[in-house]
């Protein structure tokens, strides 16, 4: 679900904005994890970290899809 929603976000906007937003949200969640007062907060923050961390995977695949044709993209995906 995270990959699908972020893929839609990447298609609507440029690839740079979702990557920077994903990295920023991931960093903020990582900073707040040690400050979580209850385990429920920690679980929620870890969920946010996973959701926002998927932005790098989605954006990298979108860039490869945009830059290369089918045969070359398979070769590039094998390196990722």
């Amino acid at each position: 679900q995270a990959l699908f929603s972020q893929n839609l976000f990447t298609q609507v906007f440029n690839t740079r904005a979702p990557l920077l937003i994903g990295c920023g949200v991931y960093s903020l969640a990582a900073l707040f994890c040690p400050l979580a007062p209850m385990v429920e907060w920690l679980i929620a923050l870890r969920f946010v970290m996973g959701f926002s961390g998927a932005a790098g995977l989605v954006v990298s695949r979108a860039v490869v899809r945009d830059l290369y044709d089918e045969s070359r993209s398979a070769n590039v995906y094998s390196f990722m």
Side-chain angles (χ1 to χ4, degrees):
Q1 184 69 19
L3 295 177
F4 178 72
S5 62
Q6 289 181 2
N7 189 18
L8 292 176
F9 188 68
T10 303
Q11 289 177 356
V12 172
F13 298 100
N14 194 3
T15 54
R16 184 175 177 187
L19 182 63
L20 292 177
I21 291 171
C23 288
V25 171
Y26 182 88
S27 298
L28 285 175
L31 287 174
F32 285 115
C33 274
L35 305 174
M38 297 180 298
V39 72
E40 290 84 7
W41 281 89
L42 181 62
I43 292 170
L45 288 168
R46 292 289 297 164
F47 176 79
V48 170
M49 285 177 68
F51 189 81
S52 59
L57 178 66
V58 172
V59 170
S60 66
R61 289 186 180 202
V63 168
V64 170
R65 184 190 64 218
D66 292 342
L67 292 179
Y68 300 106
D69 61 348
E70 259 184 57
S71 61
R72 180 73 176 133
S73 66
N75 190 15
V76 173
Y77 283 140
S78 70
F79 288 115
M80 292 172 51

